[in-house]
Amino acid sequence: MEIGLALPTAGPQTSPDTIIRVAKEAERLGFSALWTFERLLRPIDKVVLWTGGEPQMLPDFYASAYEPLETLSYIAAVTERIKLGAAVLVAPLHVPVMLARRLATLDRFSGGRVIAGLGQGWQHHEFETANVPSSRKGARTEDFIAAMRATWGPDPVEHKGEFYRIAPSQVNPKPVQARIPVLLAATSPAAVKRAGRIADGLLPLTSSEQELRGVVSAFHDAAREAGRDPRDLVVVNQAPWPTPVTREPIGDGRPFLGGSPRQIAEDLMAAREIGVTQVYLAGGQGLGLDVGLQAADVDPWLGLLGEVIEAADRLGVIGPGASR
């Protein structure tokens, strides 16, 4: 299994220098991938979250977030081997050809290191701002992926879908990778089933080992129903912000994939046994907020991350394909 790391691209205390420092150190430590995320805006009004329930304020975490692909382009220039992932890009807010070309260009500059994590979106303010209908997001995202893949294929590119059309055209550059991996963020049964049918992998967001096991099982079942081999697909699970990495073990109430390096390594082993391909640690994704890391904590946090890699290595978590 691989271990990835989310870059600190959110919060009032992050900076280009900090993001670059974390990226370089992550590659040196042996992390396999760096991850960014997309958030168009943070509404001042309360909104219904993707989890449902009563409207509430979005966390301050979303008030400032660096653009993911611009950030990864810069990071591509200061790293050599580590993969570069976005999780997630809200597909319906983009134009398929434009996003496909941006990803292909990044893949060229990085030497074939790009992972495209897509989601269908949930915040109606973002759809309103982008002047995009928020209805039938799942079907729109499916057509979006087909159009992107057509763009990466041989010229002349052509696509005739329900939502997107590309007239026979030359569209370049093509990516270095024969097929940029497209992973789908999914939590609902319908979205997990769609990922098993069309995506190269799944991006779940789970809060427990039991929940992760259920999602991975459903994803693999959906792949088999679609005539696909689950072994050809990946599962990249996130340990979300602000899941902590601590010097001392955490007792009761410890979050899944959080705690001391040894505790995190044991959870990583459990994730590997479930069938997860990669876990990326996103506890440092936001800096300078009421919870989570402050900018002054970054260096000690990087030291603990090195201990996580060492503990995972000792347990045999890190398998073939990792950077180490």
Side-chain angles (χ1 to χ4, degrees), residues 7-94:
L7 289 167
T9 55
Q13 292 182 5
T14 197
S15 68
D17 286 346
T18 300
I19 294 169
I20 291 167
R21 178 155 50 99
V22 170
K24 288 181 173 181
E25 184 64 5
E27 183 169 66
R28 189 190 72 80
L29 290 171
F31 282 88
S32 295
L34 295 168
W35 293 88
T36 58
F37 76 100
E38 179 173 60
R39 186 85 282 147
L40 191 62
L41 46 78
R42 176 182 180 260
I44 301 302
D45 297 330
K46 294 181 179 181
V47 299
V48 176
L49 302 183
W50 67 94
T51 51
E54 292 298 315
Q56 56 184 285
M57 295 299 300
L58 278 183
D60 288 342
F61 175 80
Y62 293 119
S64 175
Y66 279 52
E67 272 295 298
L69 297 188
E70 283 75 0
T71 300
L72 292 178
S73 294
Y74 201 104
I75 294 306
V78 298
T79 56
E80 297 179 356
R81 302 175 306 280
I82 199 163
K83 297 173 188 175
L84 307 171
V88 295
L89 302 169
V90 182
L93 304 184
H94 296 270

Side-chain angles (χ1 to χ4, degrees), residues 5-10 61 239-243 281-287 293 298 301:
L5 184 68
L7 289 167
T9 55
F61 175 80
W241 175 86
T243 305
L281 307 178
Q285 204 163 34
L287 297 181
L293 296 178
V298 169
W301 171 68

Side-chain angles (χ1 to χ4, degrees), residues 122-309:
W122 56 271
Q123 193 193 130
H124 73 89
H125 291 87
E126 293 188 329
F127 284 86
E128 184 179 80
T129 301
N131 196 28
V132 175
S134 59
S135 60
R136 301 190 65 207
K137 295 188 292 291
R140 185 179 294 273
T141 299
E142 187 166 339
D143 193 23
F144 189 102
I145 292 171
M148 279 213 313
R149 285 175 171 160
T151 302
W152 294 328
D155 290 334
V157 170
E158 182 177 9
H159 177 74
K160 295 180 180 179
E162 181 179 358
F163 301 96
Y164 304 103
R165 293 191 169 224
I166 307 170
S169 306
Q170 294 176 311
V171 184
N172 290 283
K174 306 299 184 187
V176 172
Q177 300 177 82
R179 183 184 178 105
I180 290 179
V182 176
L183 281 53
L184 264 182
T187 52
S188 71
V192 171
K193 190 167 185 176
R194 180 180 296 109
R197 181 165 47 82
I198 68 168
D200 299 308
L202 180 71
L203 286 164
L205 182 60
T206 57
S207 59
S208 69
E209 179 183 337
Q210 181 179 4
E211 184 183 7
L212 178 60
R213 187 180 302 277
V215 171
V216 172
S217 177
F219 174 60
H220 287 170
D221 288 346
R224 293 187 192 96
E225 289 175 11
R228 309 175 76 193
D229 188 342
R231 292 174 296 183
D232 296 333
L233 308 176
V234 301
V235 177
V236 178
N237 191 59
Q238 179 193 120
W241 175 86
T243 305
V245 183
T246 59
R247 172 67 57 191
E248 299 300 325
I250 296 177
D252 293 343
R254 181 179 71 87
F256 183 51
L257 294 165
S260 68
R262 173 75 187 193
Q263 288 176 316
I264 294 172
E266 290 172 350
D267 285 349
L268 290 169
M269 177 58 79
R272 173 176 174 151
E273 291 172 352
I274 288 170
V276 172
T277 314
Q278 182 185 139
V279 170
Y280 76 91
L281 307 178
Q285 204 163 34
L287 297 181
L289 299 159
D290 290 341
V291 295
L293 296 178
Q294 305 298 305
D297 301 328
V298 169
D299 284 339
W301 171 68
L302 287 170
L304 287 172
L305 291 175
E307 294 182 29
V308 170
I309 292 290

Side-chain angles (χ1 to χ4, degrees), residues 98-121:
M98 293 179 67
L99 184 58
R101 292 185 72 251
R102 293 174 70 195
L103 289 164
T105 299
L106 176 57
D107 205 52
R108 285 279 174 181
F109 273 108
S110 67
R113 293 188 274 152
V114 172
I115 306 169
L118 302 184
Q120 65 184 35

